[in-house]
Amino acid sequence: MKISQKGLYALQAMMMLARHRQQGAIKIRDIAYEEGLPEKFLELILLELKNARMVESIRGAKGGYQLRRDPADVALSEIIRLIDGPLAPFGDAEHLRELIDRDLPHRALYQVFLDVRDAAARILDHTTLADLVSRGGSISKNGKRQKKSFASILPMVVGGHNGD
């Protein structure tokens, strides 16, 4: 499973919308600023999320984007599958099952890939935006809430290796 930069941005934007759900629609520029995301790229991501009916856009001076559903009803797996496709390293789970049945000499290898996919899917299917928002950011020494940095996991999430 590989989560692209676009997938990571979509998750961050959806988390921001979940955190600010009570405020109503949030402007793209405000989402981009708070999350440190490129505004033009974010526009494309939000349009894709809108077309999938995960967010809705509100027109006008107080317009912007907001979640269509309660954050507790939006699993991370939905967002990742929409943006990045199947969670399996080779197509989808059904494709892996076919390989397990068809390629007997490599059955054990494909079974491991299916087990990895199933474990990741279980976690992502059972983790919602509300779960992430409730976990919040870390607390700094001065007692103020900070956003967690993805910098330490980004090479693992986006590329899967460090160039070796």
Side-chain angles (χ1 to χ4, degrees):
M1 180 180 92
K2 181 177 173 181
I3 298 173
S4 68
Q5 190 68 49
K6 181 180 177 185
L8 187 59
Y9 286 172
L11 289 166
Q12 289 175 294
M14 293 290 280
M15 285 177 63
M16 191 273 192
L17 291 175
R19 278 194 309 271
H20 296 285
R21 186 156 199 249
Q22 302 307 318
Q23 294 175 340
I26 309 288
K27 295 185 182 323
I28 290 176
R29 72 173 171 266
D30 295 335
I31 299 169
Y33 178 78
E34 183 171 318
E35 292 298 319
L37 306 176
E39 194 172 329
K40 290 293 182 189
F41 194 29
L42 182 58
E43 279 183 52
L44 298 173
I45 293 168
L46 288 169
L47 182 60
E48 199 168 334
L49 292 166
K50 178 185 170 189
N51 290 338
R53 303 181 59 82
M54 296 181 94
V55 300
E56 61 186 348
S57 62
I58 309 296
R59 294 180 180 253
K62 296 193 182 219
Y65 283 87
Q66 62 188 23
L67 295 178
R68 287 185 63 96
R69 301 188 323 236
D70 186 282
D73 295 331
V74 181
L76 300 185
S77 59
E78 288 182 78
I79 301 165
I80 293 169
R81 283 184 179 109
L82 172 70
I83 301 297
D84 288 332
L87 300 177
F90 296 99
D92 57 18
E94 190 55 40
H95 182 235
L96 279 171
R97 287 184 191 97
E98 289 173 16
L99 288 171
I100 290 167
D101 292 341
R102 212 177 48 224
D103 189 352
L104 299 181
H106 303 110
R107 172 181 278 171
L109 174 64
Y110 295 125
Q111 184 61 54
V112 168
F113 289 143
L114 182 61
D115 293 345
V116 168
R117 179 258 171 229
D118 289 347
R122 238 184 335 274
I123 293 167
L124 295 171
D125 285 342
H126 292 94
T127 305
T128 67
L129 289 175
D131 295 329
L132 295 181
V133 170
S134 71
R135 292 178 190 172
S138 59
I139 305 296
S140 68
K141 290 180 184 177
N142 63 7
K144 292 186 178 179
R145 191 164 293 283
Q146 293 178 285
K147 284 193 258 179
K148 288 191 177 181
S149 170
F150 285 99
S152 61
I153 63 165
L154 196 55
M156 179 175 66
V157 171
V158 176
H161 59 82
N162 293 326
D164 44 4

